[in-house]
Amino acid sequence: MNNMREVEVVVIGAGQAGLAGAYHLRRAGFVPERDFMVLDHSPGPGGAWQFRWPSLTYGKVHGMHALPGMELTDADPERPSSEVIREYFETYERTFDLRVRRPVDVRAVREGEGGRLLVETSDGTWSTRALINATGTWDRPFWPRYPGQETFRGRQLHTAQYPGPEEFTGQRVIVVGGGASGTQHLLELAPYAAATTWVTRRPPVFREGPFDEGAGRASVALVEERVRQGLPPKSVVSVTGLPLNDAIRQGIADGVLDRLPMFDRITPDGVEWDDGRRVDADVVLWATGFRAAIDHLAPLRLREPGGGIRVDGTRAVVDPRVHLVGYGPSASTIGANRAGRAAVRDIRRLLRDTPAATRTAPLTATADLAARTAPLTGTTELAAGISPVTAASVAATAVA
């Protein structure tokens, strides 16, 4: 096959989960571009965060758990999260010499020869013995379908396309969705829009009090049970509820967060319910979440009858060469870190216990590994508010 390259491990995606996996591969002695390769389809560092709307400042996100080995500290809460996290990820990739190759689109992962997998991309094909899939959800926005949707004369867009509130000045906006993004959109839009309407399938659940480590683990366990059964995962946020902070309380008091049940149809001028109620609108904003971006894994036939991929820890039950991080219970910033470590531990065991005839390089650590992975403390990193650490916080945080 033309342009075929061989490595021990391919990491697909360079968001939180992919970078965590790459970091732990480095710590285990794998050398980038020789033993493993990180492929990312985005134009630059930052994962999905680089595509978030400018008004989503760092202070508004649910929480950004530090990548392993380097804290993000003293970040300006008023800066766009896209800028803060892009700079953090860029520094992280450089500090640990992860050598992410981008932009590379992964088109399919197929069975190869000699027990290897073939990763077919826009930049050729990689042959690998193991795969860490960290493709997240941002590329698969979920658009529900409702009767009359195609007749609407106004504008329909998804959270993934949301540009910020100013563009909707003087317009009547319906926001669909009961998650964090939906409430954030509503609170932002209210001062600009002529009117806002909040519509959700289920009544929103607001969470009082602190969200401690115990609560985080309990929430993750609920998501984990679904993927263990081979069902499509729900987000961690979907089971944690919405934090009842001061902004949310004010939105409820002002009537901005006055939720209506889901409409029954969309009309050319708005939406209608079977009981005769109707709301006219210029915009329908679908804050309806995302699905796992795993279509490129279809040739491996990993999906269960329930529609999801059954995983044990991070390992696909059907194919132990494939690990999914940032999927299901690890779809949070702290979960991604833990999943990256667990995936590498299992991959080391897999490579040790399977024939090594197709290995392209030894797995022992190189002499310069410690030097090349030592955290930098130059002016760039300090100016960005980034400091290296040896242990990460254990507070449970979810991706906004």
Side-chain angles (χ1 to χ4, degrees), residues 165-255:
E166 294 87 352
E167 193 168 312
F168 304 94
T169 299
Q171 297 183 324
R172 301 162 297 177
V173 184
I174 295 173
V175 177
V176 183
S181 294
T183 56
Q184 288 170 358
H185 293 332
L186 285 156
L187 294 176
E188 281 193 349
L189 287 165
Y192 295 89
T196 61
T197 303
W198 187 24
V199 179
T200 72
R201 285 194 302 147
R202 291 180 294 272
V205 177
F206 295 102
R207 186 187 73 243
E208 296 246 28
F211 188 69
D212 57 18
E213 183 181 358
R217 292 185 187 280
S219 298
V220 168
L222 292 174
V223 180
E224 189 172 25
E225 181 58 28
R226 285 185 60 86
V227 298
R228 191 180 294 117
Q229 296 174 12
L231 298 173
K234 289 185 176 181
S235 69
V236 175
V237 175
S238 71
V239 296
T240 63
L242 296 166
L244 194 57
N245 54 32
D246 290 343
I248 295 290
R249 287 191 178 92
Q250 190 62 52
I252 294 172
D254 293 342

Side-chain angles (χ1 to χ4, degrees), residues 4-29:
M4 172 82 76
R5 285 152 286 191
E6 291 188 356
V7 289
E8 299 288 80
V9 186
V10 168
V11 180
I12 306 177
Q16 182 97 8
L19 292 181
Y23 169 87
H24 288 293
L25 284 169
R26 288 280 277 157
R27 289 199 34 111

